[in-house]
Every structure is written in structure tokens, then in C-alpha cells.
Amino acid sequence: ELKVEQNPLFLSMQEGKNYTIYCNYSTTSDRLYWYRQDPGKSLESLFVLLSNGAVKQEGRLMASLDTKARLSTLHITAAVHDLSATYFCAAEPSFNNDMRFGAGTRLTVKP
Amino acid sequence: EPEVTQTPSHQVTQMGQEVILRCVPISNHLYFYWYRQILGQKVEFLVSFYNNEISEKSEIFDDQFSVERPDGSNFTLKIRSTKLEDSAMYFCASSPGRESSYNSPLHFGNGTRLTVT
């Protein structure tokens, strides 16, 4: 069974600082996703990463994928309060469409 | 932009009762999913559905659960005899498919909060 682990689970950072969230997965995966969830809300897709070395950027967020290390990172640059949310990574095995989520990283950006 | 819609937004039921959670996936999508999230916790996969049958299910999706696509638009999750531990937010999701839209994420609905008392 595919297992997905994120760290850290809780992250409190000041505005303007940089930080990275890590996502490890246990078996070969076709695709790696990052989602954002605001309290009481649904999951909003941020990035889909399909191949080794893939890097995608949107605003202050940049996601990358290393399939050999089975590792994805979500890098936050110069954080702002609006980025406060829970961020989930999710991986989908190569052999089925059973997408599994990490436990989530609850990010709080303080002024 | 098309979206996945779920009803009701909140359902309260007594233990042992049957509930049906409803979802209308995006119209040209082929894969449908149910996930659940116990408050503040992990998003857990329940089941995926393709071509009118279950394609994958997790260990959570036991005999108390069933899914159906009764017509061309709705996708339902039924819990036959609810337990207290079924209280959670249930999310429906859909995607166009693995081959035709290789780059497409799952699109999630806003969820149904199920409270079992």
C-alpha cells in the first residue's frame, strides 16, 4: 500500500521568511499532487507533478519532484499571511488510481 | 468553471440510521471518488469508481458502504448503518481520466459534514 508522509505537520513562520515542506512516498508513483485547504473548506489543487525533476511555480510557492528519492518539496518564498492554510501532498501509484494523502502541514504565517 | 457539487452540506443522523450523500461530478469527467476527513485530520481515500463499477477501495470501505451512479449525473455514497466514528467530512471528487488528461488533478466538492449522534 502506498504511504505518504509529510513533514513538518505544523509550521509557524514569520512573514517574509522562506521554508520548505517535505513529502515522501513509499512506492513508485505516476503523479504527485499538492493541495491547499483552508479551515472548513474543500481541497484546492495547487500543483500536479508528473516526472522526475519536474518543478512548478505559482506565486510564492514552488513544488518539485524527485522520483528516484520518492520526494516532493513545496517551497515557500517570502511568506505572507494569506498563505496560512493546511497543505497536503498526495501521490497516486503507477498501478491504480487510488490516490493517498499525507497528513497535511498546517502552516501559520505571522506578521 | 465547472465544479463538483455535493448535497447536503451538513447531515445529522442517529446511530444505526442509513444516510445517502450525493454528488454531481463535473459533466465530462469519467473517474469519481469519495474521500473522508475526520475533523482536522488526514484525508482518507474510500473508493474510486470508473465505468460504472468500483475500481479501487480502501480498508475503510467495508460492507456498510456502497456507491452508485443511478443516472448520468449523480454519484452517491450510502452508509447503511451509521456509527459514531463515521462522523466526518465526506468529499466527492472527479477527474477527466488518466490517459486523456494526464495532467489533471482531482476536482473536489465542498464536502458534506456528517454528524452521527
Side-chain angles (χ1 to χ4, degrees):
Chain A
E1 179 188 305
L2 174 61
K3 294 194 188 307
V4 181
E5 292 186 355
Q6 273 181 252
N7 71 85
L9 300 182
F10 296 92
L11 177 55
S12 179
M13 54 192 298
Q14 285 195 307
E15 279 190 331
K17 298 292 187 185
N18 305 332
Y19 208 85
T20 300
I21 301 170
Y22 297 88
C23 175
N24 288 93
Y25 53 95
S26 61
T27 63
T28 304
S29 173
D30 263 356
R31 306 174 214 196
L32 195 293
Y33 304 84
W34 284 96
Y35 286 86
R36 169 183 171 141
Q37 186 180 38
D38 292 292
K41 302 290 187 183
S42 187
L43 293 137
E44 174 193 350
S45 176
L46 296 173
F47 300 107
V48 182
L49 301 167
L50 301 177
S51 58
N52 189 40
V55 177
K56 290 196 176 178
Q57 182 158 7
E58 181 76 34
R60 299 173 189 275
L61 301 177
M62 184 173 72
S64 67
L65 178 63
D66 180 344
T67 57
K68 292 178 183 170
R70 295 180 184 160
L71 170 68
S72 180
T73 61
L74 181 67
H75 187 73
I76 303 152
T77 302
V80 292
H81 179 69
D82 285 352
L83 290 179
S84 296
T86 300
Y87 293 84
F88 290 95
C89 67
E92 195 170 79
S94 303
F95 47 87
N96 65 34
N97 59 347
D98 171 0
M99 188 168 77
R100 299 289 174 129
F101 281 75
T105 297
R106 187 174 298 178
L107 171 66
T108 304
V109 181
K110 298 179 178 178
Chain B
E1 187 177 317
E3 42 180 51
V4 176
T5 56
Q6 289 184 244
T7 55
S9 56
H10 192 187
Q11 172 97 45
V12 182
T13 189
Q14 285 192 323
M15 198 167 54
Q17 295 296 304
E18 175 184 285
V19 292
I20 297 177
L21 309 183
R22 301 179 193 280
C23 170
V24 179
I26 295 173
S27 63
N28 63 343
H29 284 189
L30 301 177
Y31 285 81
F32 314 115
Y33 306 81
W34 285 100
Y35 285 80
R36 79 173 186 191
Q37 185 179 33
I38 294 169
L39 185 63
Q41 295 186 30
K42 195 172 180 173
V43 178
E44 299 175 299
F45 170 76
L46 293 178
V47 66
S48 60
F49 191 87
Y50 171 71
N51 202 26
N52 284 319
E53 60 183 28
I54 290 172
S55 51
E56 303 291 339
K57 61 181 181 179
S58 72
E59 56 281 357
I60 302 169
F61 194 88
D62 62 20
D63 291 345
Q64 293 299 312
F65 291 88
S66 62
V67 288
E68 205 174 36
R69 189 155 160 81
D71 53 43
S73 59
N74 290 285
F75 178 51
T76 61
L77 174 69
K78 182 194 289 186
I79 309 174
R80 260 180 271 283
S81 176
T82 50
K83 303 189 273 278
L84 294 176
E85 54 265 36
D86 293 329
S87 295
M89 181 74 93
Y90 288 80
F91 289 104
C92 173
S94 69
S95 75
R98 291 178 66 80
E99 294 80 25
S100 61
S101 291
Y102 202 68
N103 199 27
S104 179
L106 267 57
H107 298 258
F108 284 84
N110 286 330
T112 293
R113 183 173 298 282
L114 176 65
T115 303
V116 182
T117 62

